[in-house]
Amino acid sequence: MTTTDPRAKLPDAPLADNERLKGDSDHLRGTIAEDLKDGMTGGFNGDNFQLIRFHGMYEQDNRDIRAERNEQKLDSLKNVMLRCRLPGGIIKPEQWLGIDKFAGESTLYGSIRLTNRQTFQFHGVLKDNIKPMHQWLNELGLDSIATAGDVNRNVLCTSNPVESSLHKEAYEWAKKISEHLLPKTRAYAEIWLDGEKLHSTDDLVTAPLADSVKSGDATEPVLGKNYLPRKFKTTVVIPPHNDVDLHANDLNFIAIGENGKLAGFNVLVGGGLSMEHGNTKTYPNTAREFGFIGLDKVLDCAASVVSVQRDWGNRSDRKNAKTRYTIERVGLDVFIDEVEKRMDAKFESIRPYQFTSRGDRIGWVQGEEGRWHLTLFIENGRLLDYPGRPLKTGMREIAKIHKGDFRLTANQNLIVANVPEAQKAQIEQIARDHGLISDKVTPQRENSMACVALPTCPLAMAEAERFLPAFSDKVDEIMAENGLSDDYIVLRVNGCPNGCGRTMLAEIGLVGKAVGRYNLYAGGNRQGTRIPRLFKENITEPEILEILNEWIAAWAKGREADEGFGDFAVRTGIVKPVVDAPRDFWA
Ligand code: SRM
Ligand code: SF4
């Protein structure tokens, strides 16, 4: 199937420049290897600036000191942020010790930043350290392939250590899907590892690919020579816990169990959260139900959805290129029909499923096999040694003695998983001594999240990660004044409307508009299945707090039993619910 299929209804417009650079890149090689040797700049030239993203890196600089350097006639101090590939977020203690060492010795900021897609980022890697970093990661059995760029990103899997057998099965699927959809080019190994064997993926067997989904490009049979029109995101979710926020993702496999075993998946396609302020052609949307598939069809289904989006996605306008826009343009039935043809199977009716929660269960829980799991709340995912709270050192000390594994959650937290009873007290003591456990953290803070934003994110319009902790203090006070200290509102902050902090699935969301100014959204729900609506534009922190004061007091007095704030806001008319995002999000 090609883009000439009339049902794709593609616009008659010139291709975006990214299409040229991907097509010309010799399967993502570009001239990155030569560029690495160019000591004149700390950055990457021409197309390589974009191409390094497919290798998991973004060029950045520290925006706090940009103006000062400009004044001194100095170029900005260019460096890269690296994002690791970690399907399902599982990492071993010995790997942790390795990344801890690299962050401490070879990055400008010294931190490990847990992301809300179950992996970690190093910020501030100078050019000379980039190649050693990839080699170091490879030694640890890790890589950063396809964690950015127009490809399928890190595949998420619900962090569910309690139901360990179901989690194990679901996690294996997350890994297999990640492998199946990875770029097959050897560019990463050639550039960063001098062609050496990739320890992270080379041993894994890639499943055969049906002819119906092949791209026609021998090197990249799934993704094609020009890769995907835009980034693509996939999850494996175990209900009733929607910690991965499936509606932020293009492709979702909802695990359906039968007698404690995995029977197959409900497939939901076309979620995504990004928009542009005031641009009504852009909108967040929830994923649509396609149907149920058995385990024998999972990989075919994944490749078929990706291939339809590959062939039918809009390659002229990157703001209209994601799967949700393709579905909107061609029609849901047409998209489903094409996926069924390519995977050579029909979707069955959706099996019953329900989501009841999204947040992580902070603290200890015991799993099916008697092992213990400790979920640590890491505010905004930033692991660093703070005065009186040496979090990063604490994690290192735990990693030195821990025999199980670590699991990074989609809420930017970390689980010390599979701890035997005999070691529980020791691990808890280390965590307490280093501030990784604090009895002062409220449920409200645990259910709040911010994206990175300033100073590293080049797209940030306002603070997010550095804004949230002090803002949370004030929200905590309001909650306490209203007798709600044991309750929470899913509250999220983004530095811009790209949606990284998943504000567009929050009960209350703040989206950066300018320095110190935010748009206030409300009306998402606790399960993460409803998009919130704009309530007020371009307001300051005091104005936001005044509104929250009123809202939270009204909620405390008028809520029905167990009613979350978002449902209350919709029921009492604070905001009209968003029912059909393309049509009523901006209405
Ligand atoms: Fe994101 C771009 C950080 C999750 C939507 N995101 C960026 C960049 C790389 C800025 C850039 O392009 O130069 C940010 C780097 C900041 C920094 O200095 O670290 C960035 N995004 C993040 C992270 C680290 C936020 C966090 O605090 O955890 C998350 C990394 C996830 C990962 O490990 O892969 C992150 N980004 C998300 C999510 C949430 C999710 O996936 O669950 C979204 C919304 C969901 C979606 O995709 O619809 C998201 N990020 C974006 C977009 C808008 C994409 C679009 O559809 O238009 C951009 C900008 C772009 O791609 O052009 C973006
Ligand atoms: Fe940067 Fe905007 Fe994403 Fe925040 S939402 S990390 S400011 S791109």
Side-chain angles (χ1 to χ4, degrees):
M1 193 59 57
T2 69
T3 47
T4 52
D5 189 318
R7 290 169 304 155
K9 297 180 201 159
L10 279 160
D12 186 15
L15 295 180
D17 190 49
N18 288 60
E19 294 304 317
R20 177 203 55 75
L21 78 86
K22 287 181 280 182
D24 287 354
S25 72
D26 185 18
H27 294 106
L28 307 180
R29 289 173 180 82
T31 53
I32 297 174
E34 290 80 349
D35 212 341
L36 257 191
K37 295 178 201 137
D38 177 0
M40 293 298 284
T41 167
F44 286 84
N45 300 303
D47 292 352
N48 298 334
F49 176 85
Q50 292 281 345
L51 288 173
I52 58 166
R53 297 187 176 188
F54 292 80
H55 300 253
M57 291 174 294
Y58 292 82
E59 186 176 309
Q60 300 188 324
D61 70 310
N62 181 342
R63 292 177 60 185
D64 283 347
I65 56 168
R66 197 187 276 175
E68 189 188 314
R69 287 183 68 93
N70 276 351
E71 262 173 39
Q72 294 166 354
K73 305 269 180 284
L74 290 170
D75 194 6
S76 56
L77 183 59
K78 290 179 182 151
N79 59 75
V80 303
M81 172 268 274
L82 171 118
R83 186 183 286 161
C84 193
R85 186 175 69 91
L86 218 53
I90 298 191
I91 182 164
K92 297 185 198 111
E94 51 279 21
Q95 292 174 320
W96 187 273
L97 289 173
I99 65 165
D100 172 81
K101 186 170 157 61
F102 184 85
E105 291 175 2
S106 308
T107 72
L108 295 176
Y109 303 91
S111 69
I112 297 173
R113 174 55 154 80
L114 311 184
T115 79
N116 60 13
R117 292 192 70 79
Q118 293 186 301
T119 185
F120 65 87
Q121 292 180 174
F122 293 134
H123 287 97
V125 182
L126 294 174
K127 205 167 181 178
D128 283 348
N129 288 331
I130 297 176
K131 197 161 169 179
M133 165 178 67
H134 287 289
Q135 299 187 338
W136 183 237
L137 286 175
N138 192 45
E139 285 305 308
L140 298 170
L142 299 170
D143 67 65
S144 64
I145 302 172
T147 54
D150 298 343
V151 284
N152 181 56
R153 305 285 186 92
N154 199 40
V155 177
L156 304 190
C157 178
T158 298
S159 308
N160 181 346
V162 178
E163 289 170 272
S164 32
S165 54
L166 197 57
H167 178 267
K168 199 161 184 285
E169 280 189 85
Y171 168 69
E172 289 305 326
W173 279 110
K175 259 185 12 187
K176 273 189 237 172
I177 295 166
S178 171
E179 285 290 322
H180 197 54
L181 302 178
L182 269 191
K184 306 292 183 252
T185 169
R186 297 283 301 163
Y188 184 93
E190 279 172 25
I191 299 170
W192 310 111
L193 312 176
D194 298 323
E196 294 272 311
K197 193 170 145 58
L198 255 171
H199 295 163
S200 50
T201 64
D202 271 2
D203 296 339
L204 297 166
V205 181
T206 316
L209 196 64
D211 284 342
S212 53
V213 300
K214 282 187 183 158
S215 69
D217 182 82
T219 306
E220 295 289 10
V222 188
L223 300 170
K225 181 167 179 260
N226 275 29
Y227 297 83
L228 300 182
R230 198 70 167 89
K231 56 170 68 163
F232 190 94
K233 298 184 172 175
T234 303
T235 72
V236 177
V237 203
I238 311 173
H241 198 40
N242 182 21
D243 58 343
V244 298
D245 256 331
L246 76 98
H247 289 291
N249 292 272
D250 298 73
L251 172 60
N252 303 279
F253 292 93
I254 300 180
I256 302 296
E258 256 172 28
N259 308 321
K261 294 283 291 171
L262 189 62
F265 294 98
N266 284 336
V267 178
L268 271 65
V269 180
L273 305 182
S274 164
M275 54 158 175
E276 268 190 349
H277 287 310
N279 179 354
T280 55
K281 288 190 184 140
T282 64
Y283 52 83
N285 206 355
T286 49
R288 320 280 190 92
E289 291 180 347
F290 273 35
F292 173 86
I293 48 152
L295 296 177
D296 57 329
K297 278 289 162 194
V298 177
L299 295 182
D300 286 342
C301 175
S304 299
V305 174
V306 165
S307 77
V308 177
Q309 166 61 5
R310 174 194 74 208
D311 295 342
W312 289 6
N314 185 345
R315 290 180 185 261
S316 300
D317 179 0
R318 289 179 65 77
K319 293 195 175 92
N320 184 257
K322 289 214 64 187
T323 316
R324 64 184 182 281
Y325 299 113
T326 312
I327 293 177
E328 188 58 26
R329 193 182 71 243
V330 304
L332 183 62
D333 293 346
V334 173
F335 198 110
I336 294 178
D337 178 60
E338 184 60 20
V339 171
E340 288 180 332
K341 271 195 198 129
R342 294 188 188 201
M343 71 175 179
D344 194 23
K346 290 266 176 215
F347 287 107
E348 293 173 30
S349 307
I350 286 280
R351 302 268 173 102
Y353 68 99
Q354 202 191 6
F355 291 112
T356 54
S357 62
R358 263 192 296 173
D360 295 337
R361 287 165 284 193
I362 304 299
W364 288 103
V365 287
Q366 195 168 22
E368 281 170 349
E369 289 147 3
R371 296 265 162 160
W372 288 93
H373 312 282
L374 172 63
T375 305
L376 299 171
F377 169 69
I378 311 293
E379 193 161 37
N380 298 322
R382 183 74 66 178
L383 280 161
L384 198 57
D385 285 347
Y386 301 98
R389 287 186 313 131
L391 306 184
K392 190 159 160 279
T393 302
M395 275 306 305
R396 187 186 318 130
E397 293 307 314
I398 294 176
K400 281 182 190 163
I401 59 157
H402 181 42
K403 301 278 181 288
D405 51 52
F406 294 128
R407 298 182 185 181
L408 311 194
T409 80
N411 289 306
Q412 303 166 334
N413 295 318
L414 188 147
I415 304 176
V416 186
N418 288 311
V419 178
E421 176 77 44
Q423 225 178 19
K424 196 171 164 245
Q426 190 189 8
I427 287 189
E428 172 157 348
Q429 195 57 52
I430 299 174
R432 283 194 182 278
D433 290 348
H434 293 82
L436 286 159
I437 296 180
S438 158
D439 298 328
K440 289 191 200 126
V441 176
T442 59
Q444 178 53 46
R445 197 175 290 263
E446 287 170 5
N447 285 281
S448 302
M449 174 158 77
C451 71
V452 178
L454 292 159
T456 53
C457 179
L459 308 178
M461 299 171 173
E463 295 281 356
E465 184 182 320
R466 297 193 297 196
F467 168 85
L468 185 59
F471 183 72
S472 289
D473 291 344
K474 294 163 199 160
V475 178
D476 275 352
E477 269 176 42
I478 303 176
M479 294 289 278
E481 279 160 16
N482 289 284
L484 292 169
S485 291
D486 294 333
D487 219 314
Y488 69 91
I489 298 169
V490 177
L491 187 154
R492 294 172 175 179
V493 186
N494 276 351
C496 83
N498 277 320
C500 303
R502 298 200 290 260
T503 34
M504 286 303 106
L505 287 170
E507 293 184 278
I508 294 181
L510 301 178
V511 180
K513 191 85 202 284
V515 176
R517 293 191 164 266
Y518 298 86
N519 284 359
L520 172 61
Y521 288 77
N525 59 20
R526 283 189 171 176
Q527 302 74 28
T529 55
R530 194 171 57 221
I531 306 282
R533 185 182 290 284
L534 178 62
F535 179 79
K536 205 147 200 188
E537 254 182 292
N538 202 24
I539 53 177
T540 59
E541 184 182 355
E543 290 171 303
I544 296 162
L545 288 168
E546 207 180 306
I547 295 170
L548 294 198
N549 249 312
E550 249 178 56
W551 281 357
I552 292 172
W555 178 47
K557 283 199 202 87
R559 70 193 294 202
E560 292 177 348
D562 292 329
E563 188 178 33
F565 174 77
D567 287 342
F568 170 81
V570 163
R571 181 176 61 79
T572 58
I574 292 176
V575 286
K576 272 195 304 177
V578 172
V579 181
D580 178 11
R583 278 152 285 275
D584 68 354
F585 177 69
W586 293 98

